[in-house]
Amino acid sequence: DEYQWKGPFYFIQGADPQFGLIKAWAVGDTNNGDDEWREEIKLTEQAVQAINKLNPKPKFFVLCGDLIHGMPGTQWRKDQEEDLKNVLKNTDQDIPLVFVSGNHDIGNTPTRETIDNYCKSWGDDYFSFWVGGVFFLVLNSQLYFDSSKCPELKQAQDVWLNGQLAVAEKHKCKHIIVFQHIPLFLRKPDEDHDYFNLEKSVRQEIMEKFHKAGVKAVFSGHYHRNAGGSYRGLEMVVSSAIGCQLGEDTHGLRVVVVTDEKIVHRYYSLDELSSQGMEKELLDMLAKPN
């Protein structure tokens, strides 16, 4: 049923609630300073309340990684996960939650064990789903960042991804949209590699693959600031955090409207989305007949 286009819809993208980072960042100890996350609880509660009030309802709410700050094996990790789940349980039951793994969820250099633990807690680290004729892919971008301790898992994701893109072509889907934690690039496809993007040769290979398959957009987090650019018709959308801000942006969420021809998105501060909801321009797009 979901293979068929049924008219415009929208979803909500959030990123980096990262319970524990605000305190860790403030005290300048990002390894052990994450023993407090009341601020993140409040912000994520505000995000959930804002989403629940929206009318019409979004098709789903995707969180693009770094759900918590505590790296695998660290002291506060279990408590942070538990508190985040307790907040997210209040999301309207008609709005499915989609989770994407980030570097803090599975480690900067993931292992089979860290990925297994993530999957037990949050679900698969990569998967696909359909909504109204649109094909969505969730990827584990850590495997592109550093798969040195689990090369076979990166290879498995690559094989799976090629198969999924072939499926998308066969079904003649309306759009293909990708979610991953680490952006391919922040502003320019040929920018230098650093902590916040993927290594140039890896990036080039993925961008080409996505371009050939007709992927329209990649949505990510990780940067704790808004950014983005495009590569041969592929839009790279980098959304700032629900939690700790590392730039000038506000704690927020991105509203993404999918129409017959295009994908339109706007980043809202939590205060803005809570008090005013979506603006008329986006609501009008949703109201258009198929």
Side-chain angles (χ1 to χ4, degrees):
D1 190 38
E2 290 298 337
Y3 289 153
Q4 305 307 315
W5 175 251
K6 305 188 188 83
F9 65 88
Y10 80 103
F11 62 86
I12 301 289
Q13 184 218 4
D16 303 89
Q18 205 160 339
F19 281 27
L21 178 59
I22 291 175
K23 161 88 189 301
W25 191 257
V27 298
D29 181 358
T30 52
N31 294 325
N32 310 297
D34 60 332
D35 59 349
E36 208 282 297
W37 49 90
R38 269 175 308 202
E39 188 65 22
E40 286 95 339
I41 288 176
K42 280 201 309 230
L43 290 162
T44 310
E45 282 173 345
Q46 189 183 1
V48 167
Q49 285 158 7
I51 291 168
N52 287 347
K53 276 182 4 195
L54 293 170
N55 184 21
K57 288 187 203 311
K59 286 286 184 185
F60 58 88
F61 171 28
V62 57
L63 274 171
C64 280
D66 281 2
L67 307 172
I68 52 161
H69 183 67
M71 287 276 188
T74 57
Q75 187 178 0
W76 305 108
R77 185 178 170 89
K78 281 263 179 294
D79 293 340
Q80 290 168 359
E81 284 197 339
E82 203 170 302
D83 283 353
L84 176 57
K85 285 182 179 178
N86 283 334
V87 174
L88 293 174
K89 274 178 194 157
N90 296 316
T91 309
D92 185 309
Q93 61 187 28
D94 294 329
I95 304 171
L97 292 166
V98 178
F99 298 111
V100 181
S101 62
N103 56 307
H104 282 263
D105 306 310
I106 58 175
N108 284 322
T109 305
T111 64
R112 183 175 280 281
E113 184 190 13
T114 64
I115 291 174
D116 282 349
N117 287 338
Y118 168 86
C119 292
K120 283 187 194 115
S121 208
W122 300 101
D124 291 343
D125 59 322
Y126 58 89
F127 56 96
S128 64
F129 61 98
W130 288 80
V131 176
V134 178
F135 191 46
F136 292 93
L137 292 161
V138 170
L139 298 181
N140 178 346
S141 56
Q142 237 29 60
L143 295 173
Y144 296 125
F145 192 80
D146 182 359
S147 63
S148 56
K149 289 188 176 164
C150 54
E152 75 288 357
L153 296 184
K154 177 189 183 290
Q155 194 185 352
Q157 177 172 257
D158 287 344
V159 169
W160 172 85
L161 177 59
N162 291 339
Q164 293 296 302
L165 293 172
V167 166
E169 187 176 30
K170 194 179 92 188
H171 280 288
K172 299 279 178 275
C173 57
K174 188 63 80 174
H175 304 292
I176 309 172
I177 295 175
V178 172
F179 300 119
Q180 59 187 57
H181 178 61
I182 301 180
L184 298 168
F185 57 90
L186 297 173
R187 290 193 169 82
K188 295 195 176 85
D190 60 350
E191 70 197 15
D192 290 341
H193 166 57
D194 67 18
Y195 174 78
F196 287 113
N197 60 19
L198 291 179
E199 195 272 318
K200 269 178 148 177
S201 62
V202 174
R203 176 197 317 167
Q204 188 59 40
E205 190 184 324
I206 298 170
M207 291 189 309
E208 258 314 291
K209 181 182 288 192
F210 286 174
H211 166 67
K212 284 201 179 96
V215 174
K216 283 278 174 65
V218 177
F219 288 87
S220 70
H222 189 51
Y223 192 45
H224 295 254
R225 286 156 281 219
N226 286 309
S230 64
Y231 171 82
R232 302 180 69 186
L234 167 72
E235 189 182 6
M236 181 68 241
V237 184
V238 185
S239 292
S240 197
I242 291 171
C244 188
Q245 299 300 312
L246 300 183
E248 303 300 308
D249 293 297
T250 49
H251 309 282
L253 294 164
R254 193 172 292 278
V255 172
V256 186
V257 175
V258 183
T259 75
D260 193 0
E261 296 99 37
K262 56 189 178 178
I263 293 151
V264 181
H265 52 87
R266 162 133 196 243
Y267 186 84
Y268 289 87
S269 74
L270 294 179
D271 290 343
E272 216 180 345
L273 200 59
S274 304
S275 59
Q276 294 157 31
M278 287 161 66
E279 65 206 291
K280 185 172 182 314
E281 185 191 352
L282 294 184
L283 289 168
D284 285 350
M285 285 181 186
L286 292 170
K288 282 195 175 139
N290 297 3

